Each structure stands twice: as structure tokens, then as C-alpha cells.
Amino acid sequence: ADRETGPSTTDKKDDNPMKKIILGFDPGQTGAIAAFDGERIEAVIDMPTMTRLHGKGQQVDPYTLATALIDLCAGREATAVLEAVSAMPGQGVPSTFHFGESVGVVLGVLGALQIPVRMVTPAKWKKAAGLLGRDKDAARTLAIQLHPEVADQLTRKKDTGRADAVGIARFG
């Protein structure tokens, strides 16, 4: 089920002249963030990572993430839509822990910046986009069709995280 945290967006009047921005998150170390102003995708960025503070590998970089979000929001009223994902069958314990840790870092940064968060299941946003049951590359193709302004950032097959972030932002 979808859940929302943070300040209520339903209590605000629509006469607020502040422009809005929706931040779509495909969480995880190989995920991405898309900023959608209601008409166009303003930016797509890869999830910032850094060398893991403990152990080997990479982790989401909270400082760089916070800095990027401050820049993306630029004084606008922001809402984050985060893909509500869970462990997958056959996924190892360390990778499951690292993924959960990544989601926790994203939620912590959003909370610290006082950006309300809405969680959406992959099935829900993909169904709304007409992508349910289609292969991973279908999201990339659709994102390019709907948002040619970011097509140059979606040229590789491995850009599915970026395309998913675009779809999640559009859903928001």
C-alpha cells in the first residue's frame, strides 16, 4: 500500500504561488532521482555513492544526496515519491542489508530536509504507466518518448534506473 510521511500536503491551499517539484526515486546504489515539474523532467541524476564507511564496496552518499536535493528543489515545494521495494527471492543477506541501508539513507536525508515522502509499489506506478508485465527496457523507451529533453541521459540499456525514476516522478 502507498504511504505518506511528513507534513500533510492536503492541508495546504491551492492558491500557494510557490512552484512545486516532484522527486522520483529509484532507490539503491544503482538507482536514480528524477525531478518533474508537472510538465517536463528538469533533471535525472544517478544516486550519489561513496566508498562504504564499513566493509567493501559503495553506499549512498548522504551529504552529496542532500546537496543535490537542495539544488534540485531550489526553494520550491517538493514532494518525494520513493519506490517501495523489498528483498527479492534468492537475494543474499549482505545485498539485502545494503539495499535496505540505501533506502534508509534516502529516507533520512529526505526527513532532514523536511521533504514529504510518498511510497509507491512498483506494480502501482508501472500499471499507471502501462508498463506492468513488460521488460525493464520498456520504461526507458517510454521515458524517451514522453521526455525527449532527457533522452541523451537514457541511451544505454543500463539506464533503466534513470528511466524508472522518471516513471516514478511522473506517477507522483
Side-chain angles (χ1 to χ4, degrees):
D2 295 343
R3 297 187 320 231
E4 192 169 316
T5 64
S8 173
T9 55
T10 57
D11 296 337
K12 297 178 183 174
K13 293 185 178 183
D14 289 338
D15 59 357
N16 183 350
M18 182 180 280
K19 293 190 180 204
K20 298 180 180 185
I21 191 82
I22 300 169
L23 304 169
F25 284 81
D26 178 25
Q29 297 171 34
T30 60
I33 306 151
F36 182 54
D37 69 6
E39 294 179 14
R40 60 184 297 276
I41 298 293
E42 293 185 4
V44 179
I45 61 170
D46 293 325
M47 189 66 68
T49 60
M50 59 185 266
T51 301
R52 184 165 287 289
L53 294 174
H54 54 88
K56 297 178 182 176
Q58 298 286 303
Q59 69 178 56
V60 173
D61 180 344
Y63 177 81
T64 304
L65 176 60
T67 302
L69 294 178
I70 290 167
D71 290 344
L72 286 172
C73 294
R76 295 178 286 185
E77 182 182 336
T79 301
V81 182
L82 181 67
E83 190 174 47
V85 291
S86 57
M88 299 189 323
Q91 193 173 20
V93 173
S95 60
T96 300
F97 178 82
H98 291 158
F99 186 76
E101 182 181 52
S102 295
V103 172
V105 168
V106 171
L107 288 171
V109 169
L110 291 167
L113 295 176
Q114 298 182 354
I115 297 173
V117 176
R118 182 170 166 220
M119 304 292 285
V120 63
T121 62
K124 190 159 188 174
W125 77 260
K126 287 179 181 183
K127 182 178 181 184
L131 295 170
L132 202 56
R134 297 182 60 197
D135 68 17
K136 288 188 78 69
D137 201 49
R140 190 175 66 87
T141 302
L142 182 62
I144 290 169
Q145 290 171 349
L146 295 174
H147 295 286
E149 67 271 19
V150 293
D152 63 328
Q153 296 176 60
L154 301 169
T155 58
R156 305 167 302 169
K157 289 267 187 194
K158 72 178 196 173
D159 290 334
T160 56
R162 293 175 181 179
D164 285 356
V166 169
I168 294 162
R170 285 183 55 86
F171 179 84

